[in-house]
Amino acid sequence: MQRLPTPPAPPAPVPQWWRDAVVYQIYVRSFSDSDGDGIGDLDGIRARLGYLELLGVDAIWLTPFYTSPMADHGYDVADPRDVDPVFGDLAAFDRLIADAHEHGLRVTIDLVPNHTSSEHEWFRAALDSAPGSPERARYHFRRGRGPNGDEPPNNWQSVFGGPAWTRVQDPDGSPGEWYLHLFAPEQPDLNWTNPEVWADLEKTLRFWLDRGVDGFRIDVAHGMSKPPDLPDAREDREPSHDGERWAASVVEPDPRFDHDDVHGVHRMIRAVLDHYPGRLVVGEVWVGDSARFSRYMRSDELHLGFNFRLVRAPFEAAAIRTAIEQSLAAVAGVGAPAAWTLSNHDVSRPVTRYGGGVTGLARARAMALVELALPGVVYLYNGEELGLPDVELPDETLQDPVWELSGHTRRGRDRCRVPMPWEGSAPGFGFTSGDPWLPMPPDYGKLVAAEQLEDTASMLSLVRRAIELRNTHPGFDGEELEWFGAPEGCFAFRRAGTTLVCALNTSTDVVPLPPGEAILASGPLTDGMLPPDTAAWLA
Ligand code: NOJ
């Protein structure tokens, strides 16, 4: 009898490297400029890889660097498979990936599947084509309401302000259909019932995976699918996806987001990634309901979903503890790690959010220790490690589309996007030799990275040491938390089965520290006591 050939060994299981990783978000425009045009770029990032290695992060997330007219600074993508000249070119991207890998850093990139730029060839073709044409069917074009179709097809508002619909002319020049854009008019929403749209995203995924990326962050991962009849939203609704008014109460359901069919899109993305072991997909999921949120992290969908509960929590121990417990509970049932974030390019920076000045900085330092003690994935936003505050920018320098689209009622997100101060005291602070795209305030000179690296009391030194301990101390093993009794306005927790305790004091009183030796503290500790606005790790 002929013997059957031995079947090939199954592929070795690839560890989910991200399960306890620290990922550093780079807002590409604001990180480091290599050519003096005042805008950060890919070669600029490459020149700073040594800094990221020193900081100790495991991976970077690059915000969109694709061809774009920059109506929303890259989140309006005209060609998702090419690099915008302002950021470099594909060769610069390949150099960056290769060097990052040599520095032991994984590279994840942003994908924007909810919408394209209005300069995308598909949208230009849609405008040149007649209502009902296949070109228009890749987007959401509808006739308007009212006798002459003069009113938008429904009452949806854009996240940035104003109606979510813009009217176009028919090819013959007469007033025509309206198209849907949940963000700026330059960001038309794609129609995710159209197979061409699916095929194109799959092509984009493979394009970058084949170039060696280690994963993706999916923009508006709770968007994409829309209810087929596009029903009106409740008139009394607060915006549930609003980067600027992040503290607004979430009122769901919101017909613009979290439609059930979006899960099919995530299953497609995951199926592609499963052919590339060890690659990560994380989604931006602004869904407040825990049960609905966790559906995005089912075993055949996203690996991770950003949890924004910590961003929303005020600096109060009880609220922070609730945010942590709810976040952990949300993902526990689906076996995904939590993905923590205190800061990103859409929300006010922690130092400012927690009160600004000395107090805001003390609290931001304390929260960095809390976040880095948690099980799961920690996302740090560039400049968070320097304790940068928001910058109050003059009106005439504002660039976020939110400013114009809200009729100058919301100043937008530029305040948390001011470029990184690297070194020196001259304007530009090592970010650029030219004029930075947003003005950098003179007092950034006190926060430059080069000096903070030398100063053991700086926020940068604190974050660096915390990441080092997180990576090496056995107190960070395990994924479950145990909470201790603590005075009013305080909490203390440790990973179950370990001895490292993280204690936080958000009250106005000095309180006794839990037992143990303090191995790291966000501020000075005196005589076994934990002062207000301070956190400590005790072993
Ligand atoms: C979420 C991104 O984080 C934000 O910056 C962008 O404006 C919107 N999605 C639209 O793409």
Side-chain angles (χ1 to χ4, degrees):
M1 203 174 89
Q2 218 188 345
R3 291 187 61 191
L4 288 170
T6 318
V14 174
Q16 296 195 329
W17 57 265
W18 54 84
R19 281 199 85 93
D20 56 1
V22 178
V23 185
Y24 186 89
Q25 178 192 351
I26 294 181
Y27 192 68
V28 176
R29 216 178 160 76
S30 298
F31 191 65
S32 183
D33 171 24
S34 70
D35 59 7
D37 66 358
I39 298 174
D41 48 46
L42 298 180
D43 276 335
I45 299 170
R46 204 159 59 89
R48 303 285 180 187
L49 291 173
Y51 169 83
L52 297 172
E53 195 178 358
L54 211 63
L55 183 58
V57 298
D58 301 286
I60 54 179
W61 150 31
L62 307 178
T63 54
F65 48 81
Y66 316 111
T67 316
S68 167
M70 306 289 167
D72 187 19
H73 292 141
Y75 283 97
D76 48 321
V77 181
D79 181 350
R81 295 182 286 276
D82 205 351
V83 175
D84 194 277
V86 83
F87 297 132
D89 53 21
L90 282 170
F93 182 79
D94 292 342
R95 286 194 294 273
L96 174 57
I97 285 249
D99 282 16
H101 286 165
E102 270 185 21
H103 283 265
L105 291 163
R106 292 187 159 92
V107 179
T108 63
I109 63 174
D110 224 311
L111 287 186
V112 191
N114 181 70
H115 42 267
T116 67
S117 160
S118 51
E119 294 298 311
H120 189 290
E121 60 175 339
W122 278 2
F123 195 72
R124 287 211 298 247
L127 293 186
D128 289 342
S129 305
S133 60
E135 286 80 5
R136 289 212 171 176
R138 296 174 183 134
Y139 295 91
H140 296 279
F141 280 87
R142 292 284 188 284
R143 292 195 56 74
R145 293 205 278 212
N148 303 314
D150 288 345
E151 291 162 31
N154 71 18
N155 70 354
W156 292 7
Q157 295 293 297
S158 138
V159 171
F160 292 162
W165 295 92
T166 292
R167 196 170 195 184
V168 299
Q169 291 186 338
D170 277 340
D172 67 6
S174 58
E177 292 185 319
W178 299 70
Y179 70 89
L180 177 69
H181 52 86
L182 294 187
F183 296 90
E186 295 86 352
Q187 293 166 296
D189 277 51
L190 285 163
N191 172 9
W192 276 90
T193 65
N194 186 318
E196 278 186 86
V197 172
W198 289 63
D200 193 67
L201 180 63
E202 190 170 337
K203 193 168 163 192
T204 301
L205 289 164
R206 291 186 194 284
F207 179 87
W208 295 107
L209 287 164
D210 291 339
R211 284 198 116 84
V213 302
D214 298 286
F216 301 101
R217 176 258 189 194
I218 307 292
D219 189 62
V220 204
H222 58 311
M224 296 180 272
S225 291
K226 313 287 186 291
D229 49 343
L230 303 179
D232 278 341
R234 266 171 45 193
E235 290 285 356
D236 59 344
R237 227 191 31 76
E238 282 290 322
S240 74
H241 178 302
D242 184 332
E244 202 186 21
R245 280 181 282 180
W246 47 269
S249 60
V250 177
V251 178
E252 292 164 353
D254 176 336
R256 300 173 303 170
F257 297 108
D258 192 30
H259 184 254
D260 282 345
D261 288 350
V262 73
H263 295 283
V265 180
H266 294 307
R267 281 193 286 273
M268 179 275 275
I269 294 174
R270 180 62 181 272
V272 173
L273 257 76
D274 282 347
H275 285 94
Y276 295 80
R279 317 292 175 100
L280 161 71
V281 57
V282 54
E284 182 202 27
V285 184
W286 284 94
V287 173
D289 179 88
S290 287
R292 292 199 66 89
F293 173 79
S294 67
R295 287 153 43 107
Y296 288 79
M297 274 68 71
R298 288 177 290 199
S299 60
D300 57 351
E301 298 192 36
L302 303 169
H303 295 112
L304 303 173
F306 285 117
N307 193 303
F308 296 111
R309 288 185 192 278
L310 276 188
V311 172
R312 289 191 154 119
F315 189 75
E316 291 164 17
I320 298 162
R321 176 173 170 172
T322 304
I324 293 171
E325 288 181 313
Q326 288 182 345
S327 306
L328 289 173
V331 287
V334 285
W340 306 103
T341 177
L342 284 171
S343 185
N344 66 29
H345 64 294
D346 291 331
V347 300
S348 180
R349 285 190 177 271
V351 172
T352 303
R353 228 163 59 215
Y354 297 140
V358 177
T359 304
L361 180 61
R363 293 174 174 176
R365 291 171 62 105
M367 284 305 293
L369 286 200
V370 169
E371 185 182 40
L372 285 163
L374 292 171
V377 189
V378 173
Y379 275 84
L380 293 177
Y381 170 48
N382 62 213
E384 187 177 350
E385 79 281 18
L386 301 180
L388 297 186
D390 287 353
V391 178
E392 275 314 319
L393 294 160
D395 291 3
E396 64 280 7
T397 63
L398 295 179
Q399 304 207 19
D400 186 348
V402 166
W403 173 238
E404 289 301 329
L405 289 170
S406 69
H408 296 186
T409 58
R410 290 157 55 199
R411 300 185 68 74
R413 302 158 294 177
D414 295 316
R415 61 192 170 159
C416 64
R417 298 175 174 178
V418 172
M420 286 277 286
W422 289 101
E423 64 236 344
S425 52
F429 299 108
F431 163 72
T432 181
S433 56
D435 278 337
W437 71 279
L438 284 173
M440 300 172 74
D443 58 5
Y444 259 34
K446 294 188 216 116
L447 296 167
V448 295
E451 281 178 30
Q452 292 206 35
L453 276 175
E454 302 297 320
D455 174 5
T456 51
S458 69
M459 173 118 182
L460 177 53
S461 295
L462 177 77
V463 173
R464 234 181 114 188
R465 179 76 183 127
I467 294 175
E468 189 182 9
L469 284 169
R470 181 182 161 93
N471 288 338
T472 52
H473 196 287
F476 297 95
D477 293 345
E479 296 197 351
E480 268 176 44
L481 288 192
E482 285 173 355
W483 297 86
F484 298 90
E488 182 76 22
C490 302
F491 66 54
F493 65 78
R494 68 176 177 199
R495 307 270 183 105
T498 73
T499 54
L500 190 136
V501 174
C502 173
L504 171 73
N505 181 2
T506 67
S507 78
T508 50
D509 299 322
V510 176
V511 300
L513 276 166
E517 185 205 340
I519 57 168
L520 193 62
S522 65
L525 306 176
T526 36
D527 305 328
M529 304 295 276
L530 184 64
D533 301 328
T534 309
W537 289 355
L538 303 118

